[in-house]
Structures are given as structure tokens and as C-alpha cells.
Amino acid sequence: AALDNDYTLAALMKGLRPDTPYSMQELLAALPQQTTARALLKFMGLHPQHFRQDLKGRAFCICRDPDQLRECKDWKRVNPYQKPMVAGKSENIPQQGGAGE
């Protein structure tokens, strides 16, 4: 479930539109490998220059250039220690990624 690699960063950065709110499920579906919501939160927290979360911690966005953010402009860095929320409830089971399984 570890995601600390360039391939994961590229999948999220190139596969998703910047400055667009995404749910945790949408982010997990964009990944080519299986992982957990908790591992993805930790990964995004390690890359604060590329990921933001809304104030409630339920939506996330890709940030390629902070000066170009509009929709997610006031969002904060991803908190890697928060309890993962998937489909509106706390989730501790593994979530499957998208293509390539």
C-alpha cells in the first residue's frame, strides 16, 4: 500500500485536472495500483506543493501552480494524519485503484 514513488505522483498529476475538487474515491480510482485511503492521504501530505484539501477534509485537488488556483485557492495542505473518509464514512478497508488491475 506504500505510494512514495514518482509513478503515483505522475498518475495523479497527469491523470486529473488541476484546481478541480475530487473525492477520495475519485483519487483512488485514478491510481493504477491498489492502495488504501490512509496510504493516499499520507502520500499527498508528503507532497504539499501538489495537493490541497477543503476545510472539511472531504475533497481534494491537484495543484500544479498555486498562482493559478481559483476553485481550490483557499484550501489547505493535506493532513496525512486525518481519518480517511470514503463515500461519506470513515474507511479503514483497502480501496482498489483503477486501470491495470
Side-chain angles (χ1 to χ4, degrees):
L3 290 177
D4 195 15
N5 62 54
D6 293 334
Y7 190 66
T8 298
L9 186 60
L12 292 171
M13 296 295 292
K14 295 183 187 287
L16 299 173
R17 295 176 56 118
D19 198 34
T20 302
Y22 290 101
S23 69
M24 179 58 73
Q25 287 177 312
E26 291 170 313
L27 293 177
L28 288 167
L31 294 174
Q33 74 264 35
Q34 183 177 9
T35 190
T36 63
R38 185 174 305 279
L40 182 54
L41 280 172
K42 184 177 180 182
F43 178 82
M44 291 189 297
L46 291 173
H47 300 278
Q49 70 276 24
H50 296 300
F51 301 101
R52 301 279 192 275
Q53 73 180 51
D54 70 354
L55 298 178
K56 293 181 180 179
R58 295 185 180 151
F60 304 89
C61 79
I62 306 299
C63 175
R64 293 188 186 140
D65 180 359
D67 294 333
Q68 294 180 354
L69 289 179
R70 292 174 195 226
E71 181 78 25
C72 308
K73 180 181 175 184
D74 297 324
W75 290 18
K76 60 184 180 176
R77 321 171 39 162
V78 174
N79 176 2
Y81 304 107
Q82 70 185 343
K83 195 170 209 178
M85 299 292 280
V86 178
K89 59 186 174 189
S90 178
E91 196 63 68
N92 291 320
I93 59 173
Q95 297 298 308
Q96 295 188 349
E101 292 187 331

